[in-house]
Amino acid sequence: TGLGVTTVSRALKDAPEIGEETRRRVQLVARQVGYRPNRAGVRLRTGKTNVISLVLNTEEQVGGFVSDLIYGISEELAATPYHLIVAPYSGNNDPMDPVRYVVQTGSADGIVISRTEPNDPRVRYLTEHRMPFATHGRTRMGIEHPFHDFDNRAYAVEAVHKLAALGRRRLALLAPPSNLSYHHHMRDGFLEALGEESLAEVPLASVTVDDPLDEIRDRTADLLRRGQRPDGIVSGSGQATFAIAAAIEDAGLTLGRDIDIVSKQSVRLLHLLRQPIYVVNESVRQAGRHLARAVLGAVDGRDVASLQSLTAPAQPVP
């Protein structure tokens, strides 16, 4: 451009003291030559990495959950200087390890965590170390923090009311693992609605939505062969519902006649069963976008209350 380094630098940052024509010319040349700021240099100058870290369990749900979450976050970051890196850990490792690594190495400006627990040690650690973060799910530990969540309590309430409207009287719940926050939200809503409708619970406590599909199928089939079997099931996972539908056939029952299912799904696949299953869709991609906005707001120091969002479920539909 024939301009000095300082002028070019200021023009790239839209500094107000640089004339509009100069800014346009510098930014045009930058695009033409494919210029990208050097992250190490930016970090030396500003102390920022322009990185958001997503901490993910490598055993997270399959069927598009992880890819949709990553896609949603990346989509929101695309219009910003920020880039996404994934910090993985397995179920055999301490989930605190990747969080400590990011904080201690300063390798990101903000962190997104999933599989949130009611009293989550990662939330306490990040709060104490003043690291901006957002959680996929809520806590019950008295710490106000950015989050996005799907209203699983409301989902369970709507599911029970739908099954009651279909004439079902004995319901089972296939819930998430009990250490996770959304287990408690879903179960609270389930029990609340059972009481409102004067329905009975048939416990399905031996498996969760995280168990292998074959195990879910076998345990559900065992339950359905009992004398006091359920005639309605609320499922916390679309993937698990495939196993439930197979178990209904294993037990010699007919879906829609002997038993009904209301299921939540994050990937729209249940229609492939071509059977009367009532479905509530949860968009994980949308959750990713909400989480990206929340963690960027935390990095910018925005008010925490403005960085908390909750998606309400739609009515169950066949």
Side-chain angles (χ1 to χ4, degrees):
T1 63
L3 299 170
V5 172
T6 300
T7 301
V8 169
S9 177
R10 290 174 177 171
L12 288 170
K13 292 184 290 184
D14 286 323
E17 67 269 19
I18 302 298
E20 179 63 26
E21 179 58 34
T22 299
R23 287 205 299 272
R24 279 202 302 265
R25 181 155 62 96
V26 169
Q27 292 174 11
L28 173 62
V29 173
R31 288 194 297 272
Q32 289 173 338
V33 301
Y35 168 78
R36 292 290 185 272
N38 181 280
R39 275 197 207 167
V42 171
R43 183 173 181 179
L44 284 172
R45 181 173 56 82
T46 67
K48 299 181 73 174
T49 64
N50 283 347
V51 167
I52 297 299
S53 179
L54 171 62
V55 176
L56 271 181
N57 189 326
T58 55
E59 299 169 2
E60 196 75 78
Q61 297 179 45
V62 296
F65 179 92
V66 169
S67 59
D68 276 357
L69 188 64
I70 292 173
Y71 188 95
I73 295 173
S74 300
E75 187 177 54
E76 194 68 27
L77 296 183
T80 77
Y82 284 89
H83 300 267
L84 179 68
I85 62 170
V86 176
Y89 69 96
S90 74
N92 297 323
N93 300 124
D94 184 351
M96 283 294 300
D97 287 344
V99 173
R100 289 194 193 98
Y101 175 82
V102 173
V103 172
Q104 292 170 2
T105 61
S107 52
D109 297 328
I111 295 179
V112 175
I113 60 176
S114 63
R115 298 183 69 80
T116 305
E117 301 180 5
N119 187 21
D120 201 307
R122 299 170 299 175
V123 168
R124 192 172 304 281
Y125 178 85
L126 291 167
T127 301
E128 290 172 351
H129 286 78
R130 300 183 181 276
M131 167 63 82
F133 70 96
T135 63
H136 190 196
R138 290 163 285 169
T139 60
R140 294 179 176 177
M141 52 199 303
I143 296 176
E144 288 296 316
H145 60 83
F147 68 79
H148 174 73
D149 203 2
F150 180 84
D151 195 338
N152 285 284
R153 188 202 68 80
Y155 158 68
V157 168
E158 293 292 340
V160 170
H161 288 329
K162 180 63 181 179
L163 291 169
L166 293 169
R168 304 308 181 183
R169 311 306 299 169
R170 299 181 305 280
L171 307 188
L173 172 65
L174 181 62
S178 60
N179 64 303
L180 301 179
S181 292
Y182 83 112
H183 164 93
H184 301 282
H185 299 148
M186 193 177 292
R187 181 143 185 84
D188 288 349
F190 180 77
L191 293 177
E192 174 187 323
L194 284 185
E196 292 172 353
E197 297 282 0
S198 299
L199 306 181
E201 179 182 13
V202 181
L204 181 55
S206 58
V207 286
T208 74
V209 298
D210 278 7
D211 285 313
L213 295 184
D214 286 343
E215 188 171 344
I216 294 173
R217 179 178 182 172
D218 292 344
R219 296 292 178 272
T220 305
D222 289 343
L223 181 67
L224 293 175
R225 293 187 181 105
R226 297 177 187 173
Q228 288 298 311
R229 63 169 179 81
D231 57 9
I233 296 178
V234 177
S235 174
S237 162
Q239 178 183 323
T241 299
F242 281 92
I244 295 173
I248 290 171
E249 293 182 358
D250 293 344
L253 303 174
T254 301
L255 183 59
R257 184 190 68 192
D258 302 309
I259 187 168
D260 280 299
I261 302 173
V262 176
S263 177
K264 188 176 72 165
Q265 68 172 357
S266 57
V267 181
R268 303 190 179 201
L269 293 175
L270 287 176
H271 66 282
L272 297 176
L273 287 175
R274 302 187 184 280
Q275 294 174 343
I277 295 175
Y278 295 87
V279 175
V280 173
N281 293 305
E282 175 186 7
S283 175
V284 177
R285 185 171 296 187
Q286 181 188 57
R289 293 193 288 267
H290 281 294
L291 288 166
R293 290 195 287 269
V295 73
L296 290 178
V299 170
D300 290 339
R302 288 176 48 194
D303 178 62
V304 170
S306 69
L307 307 176
Q308 300 173 334
S309 56
L310 186 66
T311 296
Q315 294 288 326
V317 293

